[in-house]
Amino acid sequence: MQLQPHEDRVTSLVTRIVACYVQLTQLPTLRPSTKVNSIFNDLVRLCCDTFDEVIAEKVLTHPNIVDIVTPLRCLCSIGEYQLEAHWTERILECGSPKEGMASCRLLIDVPAKKYSDRCSAGIMFLKFPYYDNYLDLVRMELNALASATRSGRAKRFAVLGSGPLPMTALCIILESMKQNGNAVVVHNVDRDPWAIAKSSAMCRKLGYRLDQVSFQCAEVEDQTLDLQDFDVVCLASLVGTTSEQKQSVVAQVARKMGPDRRHLTKLRILNSMMHSHLALPALLLLPLVYGQNAPSSSKRGLVYVPNAEHMSDDSIWISESSDLTWYYNYESKPSPAFSNSKLQFVPMLWGASTTFLADVTSQIENGANITYVLAMNEPDGGGTTGGSAIPAETAAETWQREIEPLKKMGVKLGAPAVTGAPSGKVWLQNFFNACNGKCNADFIPVHWYGNFEGLASHVGEVRAAYQNLTMWVTEYANNNVDLEESQVFYNQSSQFFDRIDYLTHYSYFGSFRSSVSNVGPNAAMLTEKGKLTDLGSWYLGGAATGNIPHGAAGRNTFFAGSAITVFFASIWSLI
C-alpha cells in the first residue's frame, strides 16, 4: 500500500488521537463497556503500524498533541484502574475454589476450559483480557534477572502501585513456580485503601496464603514502608504521571532498599506494548549514564566487516590502545589485515561447507592458535539479512562431518548461531534433535537486535535452555535508534555481559562506518569519515571522542521502537 505524503499522515494521526481524547472526556465513566473498550482499542491500533521517523516526530510535537498529553495520560490511568477494579469485583462474585488455586491446577499451560466448575474464581482470573500480556512481561523480566544475578533467582518481590488487581504479583508467583519450582513472596503496596482491601480479598478467595502474597496501604515516602529485605522492587506504570515524578520515586526506592544498594540506578521503563512498569532488581540495576572513560574487558572481540573502499579502517581495531582479543570474519580462513596482530582468529563454518575441516586442520598443523570455532550463521534466517538458510537436518550432517572431528584436536565448538527470533529457538532444538547426541557443542552463540530489556531476557532464556554450556554473544546492537539510546544500550549491555561468569565472549555488530551501516548510523563504531564514535572508542576501552555518526539514508520506524511508543506506553499501559 502506497504511503500518503507526510503531512497528510501527520494530520490523520493527530486527528485520530485527539478524537479519542475528546470521546473519553465526554463519557460519564471509564468503567469497561463497549464504548470505552472501543475507544481504547483505537488508541492501541495506532501503535501497531509502521511510520517514518519524521512522521512520528511531527505527531509528538504537534501543538494539538502537546496540549492533551497530560490529561490523556490521566484519563488512561483512570481507565486502567477502572478495568482492574471491575475485574476484581467479578472475581470476588465468583464461586471460591475449595482448596485454593493449586488444587484447581492453575498452571500456565492448562487452558481455562479444562478447570472444574468449582474453580470459577480462578477461571475468571485467567480470563482477564491482558493476562497473557502480563505473564509474557513477567516471564521476560524473570529471565533477565536470572541471567544477570550470580546468587540465584530472586525470592522476595515488592510491587509499588499494585492497584485493585495485583496481576503482576500473581504472575510472578505462578511463573516462578513454573520455571524452577521456587516459592516466592510478593508484597503489594498501594496508597488506595479500597484497592488494598479488594485485591487482598481477591487473593484470599483464590487461595493464596499470607506467606505468599501480602498487602500494605502506604505511600512511597511513608516511614512504615521498608524495602531493605526485598530482592526486586517493581514500580507500576501508574506510579507518577511525569518523568520527574517517576525519577523522584526511583530515588526514594533506592534509598529504602538500603545503603548496600545505593550504587544502583534505574532501568528504563520497558517500552512494551503489553504492560509497562519499572523494575528495580537489587542485583541487576545498571546505570543509564555513561562516563568518559570506559572499562576494558578481555571478553570483547571484533565482528570483522571489511570495507573495500576504506581498507585503512582495519588498523583501528588493532591499534595499541585497542583491548580487543579475538575476531571472526564469517569465514574459515583469517583476514590478512590481522595476520600479525594480537587478535586471535575464530574460524566460522558459515553454511554447508565441505572444506571447513580441511581449512582449520591445515591452520592448526601450520602452528595457528585455533582454540574455538563458530558454526552456521543464522541458519534460520534468509539471505537478505545475512542468514545461511540451512535446514536443521542438513546442518546436523554438516556439523558431524566438518566440526565434530575438531573436538579431538582440543578445539572448543560453538553451536549454530541462530537469530533472536522465535524461529531461532525452534531451529536450534530441531538441530540438536537431528544430531541425536552426535553434536557436542561447548558454547552457545547468541544474536540479538533490539533494546536492552529484550537482550537480557533473551540471554536468560538461552541460559535456561542450555545450562551446561557457556555462552558467546557474537552479534548484538540496538538497531535504528537515536544516538543517546544506542549509547545507553551499549553501556548497559557491556556491563551486563562483563558481570556474567557463563558469558565468556561478546562482539558488538558495528565495526563499520555509519554511512554504510545496515543497523542504523548510531549503532556504528565509526563515523562516515572513519573516526571512532564515542561508542566505538568505549568498545575499544578508550574515552569518549565526541565524534557524531551520520547516515546516508533515512529509515522507517516502528512505533514500538520510536519515541511515540513511549508516549502511548505512558498514556495507556493496558496493552
Side-chain angles (χ1 to χ4, degrees):
M1 181 177 69
Q2 186 175 5
L3 297 179
Q4 305 170 23
H6 281 183
E7 295 306 321
D8 290 345
R9 300 295 303 280
V10 170
T11 300
S12 175
L13 284 168
V14 170
T15 300
R16 292 169 63 188
I17 295 170
V18 173
C20 289
Y21 168 72
V22 172
Q23 292 178 68
L24 289 172
T25 61
Q26 295 174 346
L27 294 174
T29 177
L30 294 181
R31 288 181 62 83
S33 66
T34 302
K35 182 64 174 177
V36 170
N37 296 345
S38 174
I39 297 171
F40 280 128
N41 284 335
D42 285 345
L43 279 175
V44 174
R45 291 190 189 99
L46 296 177
C47 302
C48 301
D49 206 346
T50 305
F51 297 90
D52 186 276
E53 187 180 39
V54 174
I55 293 179
E57 179 66 20
K58 288 186 176 181
V59 170
L60 286 169
T61 57
H62 194 284
N64 291 354
I65 296 298
V66 172
D67 287 344
I68 67 170
V69 165
T70 299
L72 184 53
R73 283 176 179 164
C74 293
L75 288 170
C76 292
S77 297
I78 294 170
E80 178 171 358
Y81 183 94
Q82 292 287 359
L83 176 67
E84 292 186 0
H86 171 76
W87 214 264
T88 296
E89 290 176 337
R90 292 185 64 180
I91 293 172
L92 289 172
E93 292 170 357
C94 292
S96 299
K98 292 183 179 179
E99 300 176 28
M101 294 280 268
S103 67
C104 297
R105 300 175 66 230
L106 184 58
L107 301 176
I108 307 306
D109 54 354
V110 178
K113 65 182 180 181
K114 292 187 178 181
Y115 300 149
S116 59
D117 291 339
R118 64 191 174 92
C119 295
S120 58
I123 293 175
M124 187 59 65
F125 169 79
L126 290 179
K127 287 183 177 179
F128 180 67
Y130 307 111
Y131 169 77
D132 289 337
N133 296 340
Y134 273 84
L135 193 63
D136 286 341
L137 183 58
V138 165
R139 183 180 299 118
M140 181 186 77
E141 291 174 338
L142 290 179
N143 284 331
L145 283 168
S147 68
T149 58
R150 298 179 180 178
S151 58
R153 293 182 179 269
K155 295 182 179 179
R156 291 182 57 81
F157 295 78
V159 179
L160 307 187
S162 54
L165 181 64
M167 188 61 69
T168 296
L170 300 188
C171 286
I172 287 173
I173 293 173
L174 293 170
E175 186 61 23
S176 295
M177 184 63 67
K178 182 185 177 185
Q179 284 188 6
N180 48 53
N182 284 350
V184 299
V185 176
V186 184
H187 185 59
N188 294 278
V189 180
D190 201 285
R191 66 182 181 180
D192 184 349
W194 187 91
I196 288 294
K198 289 293 183 179
S199 56
S200 177
M202 186 203 73
C203 287
R204 303 297 166 255
K205 183 149 195 168
L206 292 175
Y208 285 95
R209 305 184 308 272
L210 286 173
D211 60 346
Q212 293 176 297
V213 56
S214 56
F215 296 85
Q216 179 181 359
C217 184
E219 296 271 9
V220 175
E221 60 268 20
D222 288 355
Q223 293 184 355
T224 58
L225 181 60
D226 184 0
L227 301 175
Q228 293 190 62
D229 294 332
F230 292 99
D231 302 315
V232 179
V233 175
C234 300
L235 294 185
S237 58
L238 301 187
V239 177
T241 58
T242 67
S243 297
E244 292 76 14
Q245 291 174 346
K246 290 183 183 294
Q247 292 195 14
S248 174
V249 172
V250 168
Q252 294 180 68
V253 169
R255 289 192 293 271
K256 286 179 175 287
M257 291 182 77
D260 58 327
R261 294 175 173 88
R262 286 183 182 172
H263 66 284
L264 304 176
T265 53
K266 71 184 181 68
L267 286 174
R268 284 179 172 272
I269 294 177
L270 299 180
N271 291 341
S272 169
M273 304 314 297
M274 302 178 295
H275 169 68
S276 66
H277 68 265
L278 188 63
L280 292 172
L283 296 175
L284 174 61
L285 295 175
L286 302 174
L288 292 182
V289 297
Y290 34 90
Q292 288 295 310
N293 297 307
S296 60
S297 172
S298 61
K299 295 183 179 183
R300 291 179 200 154
L302 175 69
V303 186
Y304 178 54
V305 182
N307 186 334
E309 296 182 2
H310 302 285
M311 298 302 293
S312 60
D313 291 351
D314 294 344
S315 62
I316 295 173
W317 316 119
I318 54 175
S319 64
E320 292 185 4
S321 60
S322 170
D323 65 359
L324 301 184
T325 60
W326 62 279
Y327 81 99
Y328 76 99
N329 58 7
Y330 300 99
E331 298 179 5
S332 60
K333 297 180 181 180
S335 300
F338 308 129
S339 58
N340 296 317
S341 74
K342 63 181 180 181
L343 298 184
Q344 181 182 9
F345 175 58
V346 180
M348 171 182 274
L349 189 157
W350 183 84
S353 170
T354 59
T355 64
F356 183 78
L357 177 60
D359 290 343
V360 176
T361 300
S362 175
Q363 293 173 57
I364 294 174
E365 291 175 346
N366 289 323
N369 179 22
I370 303 297
T371 309
Y372 308 96
V373 293
L374 298 168
M376 288 96 177
N377 185 69
E378 300 191 349
D380 59 307
T384 57
T385 57
S388 52
I390 308 173
E393 295 76 13
T394 303
E397 294 174 0
T398 304
W399 171 288
Q400 294 171 41
R401 183 185 68 246
E402 301 291 328
I403 294 183
E404 188 68 25
L406 293 169
K407 200 172 188 70
K408 296 180 180 179
M409 303 180 193
V411 178
K412 293 188 179 299
L413 314 180
V418 297
T419 67
S423 61
K425 178 180 179 180
V426 174
W427 189 99
L428 199 56
Q429 291 173 337
N430 292 339
F431 167 79
F432 281 117
N433 289 337
C435 286
N436 195 26
K438 298 178 181 179
C439 303
N440 297 292
D442 295 289
F443 60 92
I444 294 285
V446 168
H447 286 189
W448 181 260
Y449 292 94
N451 63 23
F452 173 73
E453 293 81 11
L455 168 66
S457 176
H458 185 60
V459 167
E461 290 179 355
V462 174
R463 176 60 175 174
Y466 301 98
Q467 296 185 24
N468 60 325
L469 304 179
T470 56
M471 185 184 302
W472 292 28
V473 178
T474 50
E475 282 188 28
Y476 75 102
N478 196 2
N479 52 314
N480 298 323
V481 296
D482 63 34
L483 182 58
E484 180 181 1
E485 191 171 353
S486 183
Q487 291 177 335
V488 168
F489 169 83
Y490 167 72
N491 281 279
Q492 287 179 319
S493 57
S494 62
Q495 294 176 53
F496 178 59
F497 295 156
D498 287 336
R499 74 195 304 170
I500 301 176
D501 292 336
Y502 61 78
L503 199 156
T504 62
H505 296 67
Y506 62 91
S507 49
Y508 181 80
F509 188 78
S511 60
F512 33 73
R513 297 192 178 201
S514 59
S515 53
V516 298
S517 173
N518 63 344
V519 288
N522 296 317
M525 291 195 281
L526 300 176
T527 69
E528 70 282 4
K529 297 181 179 180
K531 302 295 184 181
L532 280 171
T533 63
D534 287 350
L535 191 156
S537 183
W538 291 331
Y539 190 70
L540 300 186
T545 63
N547 297 324
I548 306 298
H550 298 95
R555 61 180 174 88
N556 286 331
T557 304
F558 279 98
F559 273 158
S562 69
I564 204 165
T565 294
V566 179
F567 167 74
F568 277 110
S570 61
I571 62 172
W572 192 42
S573 58
L574 293 179
I575 292 300

